[in-house]
Structures are given as structure tokens and as C-alpha cells.
Amino acid sequence: MSEEKINLLGLDRVALEKLFAKIGEQKYRATQFMKGLYHHYESDFDNYTNFSKSLRNKIQLFSTLEVPHVVSEKISKDGTIKWLMQMNEGNAIETVYIPEKNRGTLCISSQVGCSLNCTFCATGAQGFNRHLTTAEIIGQVWIAAKRLGQSTKNRKLTNVVLMGMGEPLANYSRVLPALRIMLDDFGFGLASRRVTVSTSGMVPYIYKLNEDVEVSLAVSLHAATDELRSEIMPINKKYNIETLLKACKDFVKDKRKAKITFEYTLIRGVNDKPEHARALVKRLKNIPCKINLIPFNPFPGNSFKRSLPEAIELFQNICEKSRIVTTVRKVRGDDIDAACGQLAGEFHDRTRRSNQIQLKVS
Ligand code: SAH
Ligand code: SF4
């Protein structure tokens, strides 16, 4: 039965090498296979003719090669593309591609929904549904790269950020092999600084990530006092700002030029006043970092409002005066509900979702 077979998409190089070793094959088979899959986008195992027919048959006894399929594609007037993908029977996965002048960023999801319940986030508002598998995580990059015609000569997809639906560090064991495939030259060959994991602050996993793989880190801070942060981000009650910032400092320690990106969603009247900006820069003193201000993106059922342009400008000025590079994220793709925090997950099978929730509860 296909569910019991291992999907070869989603196995990093070491896992593939082990798999080939188990059936008495040489290590190089792993990279040969990866080239076919990640450089030539070959998803039909029968077309891997550099593997003999008998070897292909042997592998297919215990494995499959399944890639997600695209359920829908929406293109924004600003060029942003939102794909809804699906793997087998699972809920749809949302992925957003943001083209810019000198780069193309793919924003991928790591979970369907999220359990962390930040009060300003549409993903949080719909609750946790399930973790994505490694195949579903790397499958988003695979589909986007294939559709964009990515090759070593034509790099439309230059950056990947784990800033779509879900908290990547809450799904660590499945995210890690996907990161390794993104970085591997036989995978997508992306540079470490171009792969960014965004976290709401799951401190123990920040340390683990630092030990396991070299990627960039973005931390969703959104407030500089524990009182306010705990109010809008419940995870702060578990890992407070001091603990989180210590982990951030340790993350960049001994890494030349590395900086943490602090994301700060500006919500009108909540965290966007000059005193909030001053408190923020004070706390970030001595941490190599930059700040990315994200004007709040509204979504149905939520009463927060986006900060006024004057408040955003003033906030940015205060940060920059203290010599922290501070950018304001442009709103992209909001006409197709692809902007930050708007990924609400269009469930294609709501019955299944409620069934799963009931199962979890019982
Ligand atoms: N769970 C991870 C990554 C996904 S959220 C995290 O929290 O970092 C990606 C970014 O979008 C985070 O910085 C998050 O705070 C921000 N975000 C969430 N909802 C938003 C909204 N409605 N408007 C603007 N940014 C939002
Ligand atoms: Fe989850 Fe991130 Fe949304 Fe918070 S901001 S609810 S951690 S996806």
C-alpha cells in the first residue's frame, strides 16, 4: 500500500545514502537520484534510466516518488503568486512567491494552521490542524522551482523563507531535512543566508537549529515588554523576552556578519508608539540584528488595524537613529490574500479537519 511506502521526496542526502546502502547500492546513487529530482524535476521514477530496470523495481517495492499537485494558482497584480498545493488526501498547503528586482522569495508553510494563537495572525485564528511532512515542505519549493523554470542559469527563486502558515520550529523533525535539501548542492543549492527560518520564539529549538544546520534566523518579536508580548503572543509566557534574546545572541555568536532579523508587526495603538520603538531599540542593543517592520494586514474577524503611515515612519526613524537597519515590509499580494499573516488555509475538506480535531480531543 502506497501510504506505507517511503516517499523519496523528503529524504535528505544522508537518508538517501542509507537507503541505497541498505539494498547494497553505492552512495553515489543518492546524488544521482537527487540530481534527477531537484535539478531536472523528474517525478516519474520510471524515467530514471540511469538506474537499471531491476534496481528501479527493487526500490519501488518499498518506496514511492510523490510530489504535491497544484490545486490553484492566483497571480496578484504586483506579480506575487499564491499556490494552493495538495499531497494525497491532505489539506491544501499555501505557498507564496514574491518576485523583486534582484531576487525571488518563496514563502513556504510548515504546518496547516498553528497552535500558538498570536492574536494578530489569521493562521493562529484558525487553530492547529496538522504538521506538514518533509515531502510537503520541500515539495512547495520543488513545485515553485519547476513552474518558474528554475535552473542553475536561470535563478528566479533565490530565497526561501519559512514564514507561511505555521511555526516551523514546532515541526522541527520534519523541517530539518527539508532545510538540508534546500541547502544541498544536489538539492536546490541555496546559500545559508538565503534560507530563513522565522520563529515566534521556541527557544530550545533555536539552540537545536543552530547545532544542526546553517540557516538565517528571523524572530517575531512584536513587543519589547513581557507584559505586552504575552498579551499578543501567548508563547511569551513560556519563553520570555530575556530568554529569547539570549538565544538570539548565542545564535549569531562566532558567525561573521550574521544578523538576526527581528520582525515587528505594527498594530495601530497597540505596539506602534514612539515609546514602544524606544523600548525596542534599548532591548536590541548589543545584538547584531536588523528590524523588519510589518504593517499589520487585516483579516476578517479580527479588530486590529494597520498603523497609520506617520506612525510607521516615526517608528522606523527611531529605530534607525539607534543605527539598527530597519526596513518596512511592502504589502505584497494582498489582492489575492497572500500578504503576511493572511494565510488562513483554505481547507478543501472541512469534514476531515473537524474529524481530525475530534480525534485529537478524544
Ligand atoms: N510562525 C512563524 C512564521 C510564520 S508567521 C512566526 O511567527 O514567526 C510569519 C510572520 O508574519 C511573523 O512575523 C508573523 O508575526 C507575521 N504576521 C502574522 N500575522 C500577521 C498580520 N496579520 N499582519 C502582518 N504580519 C503578520
Ligand atoms: Fe503561529 Fe506565527 Fe501566526 Fe503566531 S504568528 S500564530 S506563531 S503562524
Side-chain angles (χ1 to χ4, degrees):
M1 266 185 302
S2 106
E3 300 87 276
E4 286 162 13
K5 291 185 176 180
I6 308 165
N7 190 354
L8 297 173
L9 172 78
L11 296 186
D12 62 18
R13 199 199 302 191
V14 172
L16 283 169
E17 283 173 354
K18 271 192 198 146
L19 184 140
F20 282 111
K22 243 188 191 163
I23 54 167
E25 288 292 319
Q26 302 266 356
K27 259 187 174 181
Y28 77 92
R29 289 293 190 191
T31 49
Q32 212 176 20
F33 171 73
M34 287 181 83
K35 271 198 221 164
L37 182 58
Y38 300 111
H39 296 183
H40 300 291
Y41 308 106
E42 182 52 71
S43 57
D44 184 348
F45 200 56
D46 287 326
N47 291 337
Y48 283 66
T49 45
N50 45 6
F51 289 68
S52 68
K53 181 98 178 79
S54 67
L55 175 57
R56 289 201 305 265
N57 287 344
K58 198 161 150 192
I59 295 168
Q60 280 166 317
L61 283 178
F62 59 88
S63 70
T64 58
L65 181 50
E66 284 171 46
V67 296
H69 67 270
V70 174
V71 177
S72 75
E73 175 181 87
K74 284 186 191 160
I75 305 181
S76 158
K77 56 185 184 321
D78 68 17
T80 300
I81 309 174
K82 181 166 94 168
W83 290 291
L84 219 57
M85 305 180 188
Q86 196 170 25
M87 193 114 178
N88 307 323
E89 305 280 279
N91 315 92
I93 309 155
E94 293 190 306
T95 309
V96 178
Y97 174 68
I98 307 143
E100 284 171 284
K101 213 166 156 211
N102 300 317
R103 63 178 175 187
T105 304
L106 191 71
C107 177
I108 64 171
S109 298
S110 54
Q111 299 177 310
V112 179
C114 180
S115 67
L116 297 180
N117 214 7
C118 303
T119 55
F120 48 83
C121 174
T123 310
Q126 49 128 296
F128 176 72
N129 188 251
R130 69 178 179 93
H131 292 302
L132 295 186
T133 63
T134 304
E136 288 174 318
I137 298 166
I138 200 66
Q140 297 168 66
V141 186
W142 192 90
I143 289 279
K146 184 176 183 203
R147 284 176 95 98
L148 294 166
Q150 180 93 335
S151 69
T152 38
K153 288 198 192 89
N154 175 16
R155 286 196 164 263
K156 286 194 177 149
L157 196 169
T158 58
N159 295 53
V160 175
V161 294
L162 280 87
M163 291 184 189
M165 289 176 77
E167 166 54 50
L169 297 187
N171 188 15
Y172 188 77
S173 62
R174 298 172 192 90
V175 163
L176 181 63
L179 293 174
R180 290 194 165 129
I181 298 169
M182 288 176 217
L183 301 172
D184 196 319
D185 282 341
F186 293 101
F188 292 102
L190 295 169
S192 295
R193 69 194 154 82
R194 293 184 179 274
V195 176
T196 303
V197 172
S198 176
T199 180
S200 56
M202 298 197 69
V203 169
Y205 285 102
I206 294 178
Y207 284 100
K208 197 147 174 32
L209 184 72
N210 200 19
E211 272 169 30
D212 290 340
V213 70
E214 202 182 326
V215 288
S216 300
L217 186 68
V219 170
S220 297
L221 202 58
H222 310 314
T225 61
D226 283 318
E227 195 188 355
L228 179 56
R229 194 166 190 268
S230 296
E231 218 173 274
I232 57 176
M233 301 183 74
I235 192 175
N236 194 68
K237 293 174 199 152
K238 195 156 182 197
Y239 307 111
N240 66 16
I241 298 179
E242 194 185 335
T243 322
L244 175 58
L245 294 184
K246 166 85 172 66
C248 292
K249 258 191 188 170
D250 290 343
F251 192 90
V252 285
K253 201 172 69 189
D254 305 327
K255 283 187 195 147
R256 239 167 48 88
K257 286 193 185 166
K259 281 184 177 169
I260 303 281
T261 301
F262 287 104
E263 296 162 277
Y264 194 105
T265 296
L266 286 165
I267 311 167
R268 196 188 301 177
V270 174
N271 64 353
D272 66 346
K273 296 180 187 147
E275 67 253 34
H276 294 125
R278 284 191 286 268
L280 177 66
V281 292
K282 205 166 155 198
R283 286 214 91 145
L284 298 186
K285 222 165 82 186
N286 302 325
I287 304 179
C289 69
K290 49 193 177 190
I291 298 173
N292 192 210
L293 300 173
I294 316 172
F296 171 72
N297 290 310
F299 58 92
N302 185 289
S303 55
F304 283 149
K305 290 193 175 72
R306 181 176 295 172
S307 297
L308 296 167
E310 309 83 85
I312 298 175
E313 205 183 316
L314 186 55
F315 201 101
Q316 184 182 22
N317 287 344
I318 295 170
C319 297
E320 285 197 319
K321 265 204 195 107
S322 75
R323 301 220 200 107
I324 304 180
V325 173
T326 305
T327 47
V328 178
R329 195 175 293 174
K330 267 204 249 149
V331 178
R332 298 288 304 258
D334 57 345
D335 54 334
I336 54 166
D337 287 342
C340 259
Q342 287 188 331
L343 301 183
E346 293 166 35
F347 292 107
H348 277 255
D349 185 349
R350 285 185 178 270
T351 3
R352 185 178 307 278
R353 182 178 179 231
S354 55
N355 282 347
Q356 283 185 2
I357 289 169
Q358 272 169 10
L359 277 178
K360 245 179 44 194
V361 172
S362 61

